Amino acid sequence: MAPSTRDVQLTSAKASKEDADGAGEEVRLLEEYLEEVEINSSKLSGNLKRIQVRITGMTCAACSNSVEAALSGLNGVVKASVALLQNKADVIFDPSLVKDEDIKNAVEDAGFEAEIVPEPSTSYTKTNGALVGQFTIGGMTCAACVNSVEGILRTLPGVKRAVVALATSLGEVEYDPTIINKDDIVNAIEDAGFEGSFVQSNEQDKIILGVFGVSSEMDVQQLEGILCNLKGVRQFHFDRTSKELEVLFDPEVLGSRSLVDAIEGGSNGKMKLVVKNPYTRMASKDLEESSKMFKLFAASFFLSAPVIFMRVVCPRIPILYSLLLQRCGPFQMGDWLKWALVTVVQFIIGKRFYVAAGRALRNGSTNMDVLVALGTSASYFYSVYALLYGAATGFWSPTYFETSAMLITFVLFGKYLETVAKGKTSDAIKKLVELAPATATLILKDKDGNIVGERQIDALLIEPGDVLKVFPGAKVPVDGVVAWGSSYVNESMVTGESAPVLKEVNSLLIGGTINLHGLLHIQAKKVGSNTVLSQIISLVETAQMSKAPIQKFADYIASIFVPAVVSMAFLTLLGWYLAGVFGAYPETWLPENGNFFVFALMFAISVVVIACPCALGLATPTAVMVSTGVGASNGVLIKGGDALERAQKIKYVIFDKTGTLTQGKATVTDAKAFTGMDRGQFLTLVASAEAGSEHPLAKAIVEYARHFHFFDESSAAAKDGKNHEMETKYPGWLLDVSDFSALPGKGVKCFIDGKQVLVGNRKLLTENGVTIPTHAENFVVELEESAKTGVLIAYNNILIGVLGVADPLKREAAVVVEGLIKMGVNPVMVTGDNWRTARAVAKQVGIQDVRAEVMPAGKADVIHSLQKGGIVVAMVGDGINDSPALAAADVGMAIGAGTDIAIEAADFVLMRNNLEDVITAIDLSRKTFGRIRLNYVFAMAYNVVAVPVAAGVFFPWLRIKLPPWLAGACMALSSVSVVCSSLLLRRYRRPRLTTILEITIE
């Protein structure tokens, strides 16, 4: 019988060779992190050993620090990390200098109990196979919670980087799987008092499946038996509650589709498996959290409403009021009812505030929950004390049960609205996920390649090499190439281009696009996280997780805010109480049957509640989340909040010329031979030299020569009547070339028939001793003044001709440049082309600052020269040749279609090949940070205005005070105001070409 354990370890869960080498792994970079202490490479050459020590008796950070200091002080210990929450120490040491027993003794000498934990592998090897895991973190309420969780995660052994986002309730952790696993990370989150669960990682050999048909323990054992006997399965875990199966497998032995087929077949079809999309799982968790918060709010409201009714309405209804005043034991009936209702609200519905406050204090931090628990407990326990004191002495003081109940109700209402708003901020990712189809039609073939049938499969089970059928009107399931058929495909959802694109055999297809007309057979090339759509989702998601630099200051303020508020509340209580005792204000100010302490306590509770920093922590991340989603909807992918913050300060925008300001589709417009060489021979010679180059001008020259040879009847190349299509595919008319070399910024050099051929600019020819005659120079100057590029050709050290190449400008280039100037941004054009052509092109688009004849590596130098004095410089390029310049700029903008996006070098990826998106990127950045500044006003205005009122500063003159329940309403409204303010960014519309010129500097 199969084992009944919930976790079954089949083999040692070691990384595969691919994981160990880090090949094929795309590790997402986090915006904010704390680097682990790196082990000196010279020390790694020795035979180091790693052990874990279980430590008993640690209670706080001081304990863990003392243990870590004791271990680090041992001679031979290279690295020691102590995890307080896990009660473990991770020690890497040289066994020739220190022994296991010495480490144990060092811990015990520090005053704690120690036990060496046996490890399956004790040799330490530095691995590049780090994983990036994503975890949901429930229970965070403000920036202080975020700081607490991040601090805990970063201290875990094996964790390299960690970032937590309050707005999405997500954490992203980069960790070494040989030191720590995802379960340890989840346990650390839960030990800190938060709710933690694993979402996904960048492991390529893991799959999460929903299992249908498991209804009994026998079914579970059958499932486990199938997996235990399945070759290639390393480890699995089945959750009986959620019916989710997580499987770690060897992709070289077992494919994901084979795994699903084996389980369904092994159960004789009783079990049905569905691949779980991690984003869908996250969306369901968000919905579940929102539903849970609404239920808590509704329960609190219905229990609190009678308490308010008894306090406000009943005194005006004699019959009801007389019933409430009737004695029932030591107390009145109304007192019993208030106490019973509010106790349920305080300790059952409001339990989450006590739990969260406890974990915050246990971790040495304070947050909103501490303030809520403190304020509600003060009013509740005082009210209980007042009742007991009245029953014992006959002196009845007023109670404030309604304050506690309404405060919890308002806070829960605010949290519910926040969960709803947070869900709306993730709409961009949800829409992107919906672009991918759920199923696909797999074409089945026999060993000879003959089609034998079709099968409907889950789109997440597609494997590279699969041939899929795409019907008219259906979505393309994955990235691939057309294997059969032709059709027009709508790619607007990915590239932003509205015009359908013709796809024929060998044409590339992007997953998520729509096949409009014909039937297509496509061969899958990229699946899973490697598809363009998945990369876009990943980029948007990472951007939403990132933190803008301005947020770091807000997080710091939030971390010290709560202690300051508690101190302020204590001073308010002490001040009003002492002032009353010493007669600074009359007793007529006191409530009926009240005293000085109660009078002061109400002011103190109001201060505690109103000064919550919850909204402060939401001000930036919610705006960044909405902005990145809006950008993605408009074809502008933003890497994160720091990119947005830099972009709104841009003063210079540097444009590459070819492919950026121009269409990148160069054409030969003029061809002139000077030595009497036959035109066909001349073009054959030039095309043969340029055929090995990837430069756009080279391709234009080869295409021009090919067209001349096969469509010009005077061409000798057509005399044999060869098939034109075959000649296009196999250009046998080209001459044999030897010693070919491409010289960046100059041209190409090669040998044909033993004689040197040079094709390029003046510099190339003069460096090789070729003289340029006056008539040739005049012809080149004439081309350059017409915004064309002159290409000079020398054969056997003699100039034989010149070609004129033109690259048309993009139709929107001039308008965009003028719009940037109106926005206060200075446009600059940088090109490797000659000065005359550069100036001619710049004049057409309206750019005054031109840097020509700049080598590709020199573009970064131009950027550095403009960055002096802290000026923010943006670079707009094609994202491939301009990668060094994009990286050197403060803001890199890669412009191009979906399959060519330059994620690594650029901060903004402009999906559409349209310069209007440069305007959109800058304008959206400015509006986003304008919204963030407004959010901080909302976050702080309630505090700045209401805290003095809550503390009673104006009471002596205006008799104005802020009851605690109203303070709770203001606190909740501050968070709601911030989130709603950020959501208004969803109404953003990118500037139209007709209105760009109306933009003025504010």
Side-chain angles (χ1 to χ4, degrees):
M1 182 178 292
S4 60
T5 54
R6 294 181 61 170
D7 288 285
V8 179
Q9 180 73 37
L10 299 177
T11 63
S12 176
K14 294 180 181 179
S16 65
K17 182 178 185 302
E18 181 178 343
D19 292 336
D21 295 339
E25 295 287 335
E26 293 184 4
V27 180
R28 191 179 310 159
L29 298 179
L30 310 179
E31 294 296 334
E32 182 181 88
Y33 58 88
L34 182 65
E35 290 286 354
E36 286 287 316
V37 179
E38 289 289 342
I39 299 176
N40 189 285
S41 59
S42 62
K43 293 181 180 180
L44 284 173
S45 59
N47 184 24
L48 298 183
K49 185 179 179 182
R50 170 184 173 272
I51 65 170
Q52 285 192 344
V53 184
R54 193 183 310 279
I55 303 172
T56 305
M58 295 190 299
T59 58
C60 63
C63 298
S64 62
N65 291 338
S66 63
V67 173
E68 194 167 299
L71 292 173
S72 300
L74 290 176
N75 182 30
V77 172
V78 177
K79 180 181 177 182
S81 299
V82 178
L84 174 63
L85 298 176
Q86 293 180 309
N87 293 314
K88 284 184 181 180
D90 190 83
V91 187
I92 300 171
F93 62 97
D94 187 343
S96 64
L97 298 177
V98 65
K99 306 299 181 185
D100 295 13
E101 194 65 26
D102 298 331
I103 293 173
K104 179 181 177 182
N105 292 337
V107 176
E108 292 177 345
D109 290 342
F112 304 92
E113 297 179 12
E115 176 188 356
I116 303 297
V117 180
E119 286 289 327
S121 175
T122 55
S123 60
Y124 179 83
T125 56
K126 191 171 183 179
T127 176
N128 292 325
L131 295 178
V132 177
Q134 194 174 73
F135 301 82
T136 58
I137 304 172
M140 296 189 299
T141 55
C142 63
C145 298
V146 172
N147 295 336
S148 176
V149 176
E150 284 184 348
I152 290 166
L153 292 176
R154 289 168 179 168
T155 58
L156 295 177
V159 171
K160 298 180 178 180
R161 303 170 186 172
V163 63
V164 175
L166 175 63
T168 57
S169 297
L170 287 175
E172 230 176 34
V173 184
E174 184 180 352
Y175 62 97
D176 187 342
T178 64
I179 299 176
I180 190 172
N181 59 41
K182 61 178 177 57
D183 294 327
D184 295 331
I185 296 173
V186 171
N187 290 336
I189 295 170
E190 291 178 343
D191 288 343
F194 298 91
E195 299 173 5
S197 63
F198 173 75
V199 178
Q200 63 175 339
S201 74
N202 62 338
E203 287 180 291
Q204 302 299 311
D205 54 358
K206 180 178 294 182
I207 189 170
I208 298 176
L209 304 165
V211 185
F212 299 92
V214 176
S215 57
S216 65
E217 186 63 28
M218 291 294 294
D219 294 332
V220 174
Q221 293 180 2
Q222 181 185 18
L223 174 63
E224 292 175 347
I226 295 171
L227 290 167
C228 286
N229 296 319
L230 194 57
K231 187 177 181 181
V233 174
R234 295 174 177 174
Q235 185 180 358
F236 65 85
H237 169 75
F238 178 68
D239 190 321
R240 287 169 168 79
T241 304
S242 64
K243 298 293 174 51
E244 287 186 353
L245 173 65
E246 181 181 306
V247 184
L248 184 69
F249 61 95
D250 186 349
E252 295 182 0
V253 179
L254 184 67
S256 58
R257 189 164 68 243
S258 301
L259 170 66
V260 172
D261 291 344
I263 296 174
E264 292 182 346
S267 66
N268 295 321
K270 180 180 179 181
M271 298 181 191
K272 297 296 181 182
L273 278 70
V274 177
V275 183
K276 290 287 188 177
N277 188 314
Y279 299 104
T280 304
R281 294 171 71 226
M282 288 165 54
S284 65
K285 286 180 181 289
D286 292 340
L287 185 62
E288 181 181 343
E289 180 187 4
S290 180
S291 176
K292 178 182 177 182
M293 198 60 62
F294 177 77
K295 290 177 181 177
L296 288 174
F297 159 68
S300 180
F301 176 79
F302 284 115
L303 290 174
S304 301
V307 177
I308 298 297
F309 183 81
M310 285 185 281
R311 179 65 179 263
V312 178
V313 179
C314 286
R316 293 173 173 79
I317 305 176
I319 297 177
L320 292 178
Y321 194 54
S322 62
L323 291 174
L324 295 177
L325 294 178
Q326 288 185 3
R327 288 283 174 178
C328 184
F331 309 120
Q332 296 175 351
M333 182 63 70
D335 294 330
W336 281 110
L337 289 174
K338 290 179 182 178
W339 173 80
L341 292 171
V342 175
T343 298
V344 174
V345 175
Q346 182 75 26
F347 298 108
I348 297 180
I349 298 175
K351 176 184 175 182
R352 65 187 309 275
F353 297 110
Y354 284 102
V355 172
R359 72 188 171 217
L361 295 174
R362 186 169 67 247
N363 295 321
S365 63
T366 51
N367 58 16
M368 181 201 77
D369 300 294
V370 173
L371 297 180
V372 174
L374 187 62
T376 57
S377 296
S379 59
Y380 176 84
F381 286 111
Y382 169 78
S383 298
V384 172
Y385 166 77
L387 286 179
L388 295 175
Y389 184 79
T393 65
F395 182 78
W396 298 93
S397 299
T399 59
Y400 296 94
F401 283 118
E402 68 280 352
T403 294
S404 175
M406 291 306 296
L407 178 55
I408 290 176
T409 301
F410 277 121
V411 173
L412 289 174
F413 178 65
K415 298 307 295 180
Y416 165 67
L417 292 181
E418 285 178 28
T419 59
V420 173
K422 287 177 184 178
K424 292 184 179 295
T425 59
S426 301
D427 282 349
I429 291 181
K430 294 175 185 175
K431 290 177 181 178
L432 288 171
V433 172
E434 290 170 358
L435 289 178
T439 60
T441 303
L442 175 67
I443 297 176
L444 304 177
K445 295 185 177 182
D446 59 19
K447 61 181 180 180
D448 297 324
N450 299 316
I451 298 176
V452 295
E454 298 174 1
R455 175 189 170 191
Q456 201 78 5
I457 63 171
D458 193 309
L460 296 174
L461 293 177
I462 298 173
E463 298 173 357
D466 285 346
V467 178
L468 309 164
K469 178 181 285 188
V470 184
F471 295 94
K475 293 180 180 179
V476 177
V478 291
D479 294 1
V481 297
V482 177
W484 176 88
S486 65
S487 178
Y488 280 90
V489 174
N490 181 0
E491 297 183 339
S492 61
M493 61 287 298
V494 177
T495 65
E497 295 293 337
S498 58
V501 181
L502 177 63
K503 300 293 181 179
E504 298 176 311
V505 175
N506 294 328
S507 296
L508 295 175
L509 290 167
I510 304 173
T513 56
I514 299 176
N515 177 26
L516 295 178
H517 303 297
L519 180 66
L520 294 176
H521 290 184
I522 72 167
Q523 185 176 33
K525 292 297 183 182
K526 294 180 180 180
V527 300
S529 61
N530 294 323
T531 63
V532 169
L533 187 59
S534 294
Q535 290 176 354
I536 294 173
I537 294 172
S538 176
L539 184 60
V540 174
E541 184 185 43
T542 303
Q544 293 185 344
M545 290 284 297
S546 70
K547 293 185 178 181
I550 191 175
Q551 188 179 344
K552 297 177 183 178
F553 177 73
D555 289 347
Y556 171 74
I557 294 297
S559 66
I560 63 175
F561 207 76
V562 175
V565 169
V566 174
S567 301
M568 188 186 309
F570 177 75
L571 292 175
T572 300
L573 173 64
L574 187 63
W576 276 105
Y577 177 72
L578 293 178
V581 170
F582 289 104
Y585 56 87
E587 293 187 9
T588 55
W589 288 8
L590 302 180
E592 184 180 357
N593 295 330
N595 54 45
F596 294 119
F597 177 78
V598 176
F599 186 63
L601 181 63
M602 291 301 101
F603 286 118
I605 293 175
S606 296
V607 170
V608 166
V609 175
I610 193 64
C612 175
C614 185
L616 195 64
L618 294 170
T620 299
T622 53
V624 170
M625 280 191 66
V626 177
S627 181
T628 51
V630 168
S633 300
N634 284 277
V636 179
L637 300 184
I638 307 166
K639 274 203 169 179
D642 57 339
L644 281 167
E645 185 162 348
R646 292 194 302 271
Q648 51 110 20
K649 302 176 183 176
I650 291 174
K651 291 300 180 184
Y652 283 91
V653 172
I654 297 178
F655 290 98
D656 176 50
K657 180 176 75 70
T658 305
T660 302
L661 288 173
T662 65
Q663 296 179 12
K665 299 177 181 178
T667 56
V668 176
T669 58
D670 301 87
K672 191 169 187 177
F674 297 120
T675 59
M677 179 182 291
D678 178 79
R679 188 181 181 87
Q681 290 180 318
F682 170 67
L683 292 177
T684 300
L685 190 72
V686 179
S688 300
E690 289 282 27
S693 174
E694 292 296 324
H695 195 280
L697 296 184
K699 293 181 179 180
I701 292 171
V702 173
E703 177 61 22
Y704 180 80
R706 186 198 66 79
H707 187 275
F708 175 84
H709 276 280
F710 295 111
F711 291 94
D712 189 336
E713 293 182 355
S714 65
S715 173
K719 64 183 179 180
D720 296 332
K722 296 181 181 179
N723 183 280
H724 292 175
E725 182 179 354
M726 294 298 295
E727 287 288 0
T728 302
K729 293 182 179 178
Y730 308 101
W733 53 277
L734 294 176
L735 304 174
D736 292 332
V737 174
S738 61
D739 297 333
F740 173 85
S741 60
L743 306 172
K746 299 177 185 178
V748 300
K749 178 169 67 173
C750 64
F751 286 86
I752 298 177
D753 295 333
K755 297 179 181 178
Q756 187 183 66
V757 178
L758 302 172
V759 182
N761 56 21
R762 297 181 184 84
K763 189 173 184 180
L764 176 65
L765 270 64
T766 54
E767 286 181 354
N768 287 272
V770 178
T771 303
I772 303 175
T774 304
H775 64 279
E777 175 66 24
N778 292 337
F779 181 69
V780 172
V781 170
E782 183 180 342
L783 291 174
E784 292 171 346
E785 289 178 345
S786 302
K788 300 176 182 178
T789 299
V791 180
L792 294 86
I793 300 92
Y795 180 61
N796 197 21
N797 292 329
I798 298 174
L799 181 69
I800 62 172
V802 174
L803 294 176
V805 183
D807 188 0
L809 289 171
K810 291 180 178 176
R811 57 182 178 81
E812 75 276 6
V815 179
V816 170
V817 167
E818 188 173 354
L820 288 172
I821 295 173
K822 290 282 187 179
M823 295 173 70
V825 178
N826 301 306
V828 180
M829 188 180 78
V830 178
T831 178
D833 212 337
N834 64 83
W835 276 98
R836 288 192 185 89
T837 302
R839 278 195 291 262
V841 172
K843 183 178 180 180
Q844 291 179 10
V845 298
I847 294 179
Q848 302 296 323
D849 192 346
V850 182
R851 315 292 173 94
E853 297 181 2
V854 177
M855 298 289 286
K859 293 180 181 179
D861 295 331
V862 174
I863 292 171
H864 293 320
S865 67
L866 293 173
Q867 287 174 329
K868 294 178 180 178
I871 295 176
V872 178
V873 179
M875 170 71 192
V876 183
D878 60 18
I880 301 173
N881 298 328
D882 298 316
S883 292
L886 289 169
D890 297 292
V891 180
M893 297 184 183
I895 187 167
T899 54
D900 295 325
I901 55 178
I903 294 178
E904 294 300 327
D907 299 294
F908 288 78
V909 180
L910 313 182
M911 293 293 294
R912 310 181 310 157
N913 195 15
N914 195 319
L915 290 176
E916 295 176 53
D917 293 338
V918 177
I919 293 278
T920 302
I922 297 175
D923 184 57
L924 178 58
S925 300
R926 291 181 176 181
K927 284 185 168 56
T928 299
F929 266 80
R931 184 65 57 178
I932 288 174
R933 295 183 186 98
L934 182 61
N935 285 352
Y936 280 121
V937 171
F938 282 126
M940 299 302 296
Y942 290 91
N943 294 335
V944 172
V945 174
V947 166
V949 178
V953 172
F954 304 108
F955 187 80
W957 301 280
L958 303 177
R959 299 295 186 274
I960 295 176
K961 62 180 179 178
L962 196 66
W965 68 269
L966 187 56
C970 291
M971 183 271 290
L973 287 173
S974 66
S975 298
V976 175
S977 299
V978 165
V979 175
C980 292
S981 171
S982 295
L983 287 176
L984 288 176
L985 279 171
R986 298 175 67 193
R987 302 174 60 185
Y988 173 84
R989 296 292 181 269
R990 59 191 182 92
R992 297 175 178 270
L993 280 173
T994 54
T995 59
I996 284 177
L997 301 184
E998 299 177 5
I999 297 175
T1000 56
I1001 306 172
E1002 296 181 359

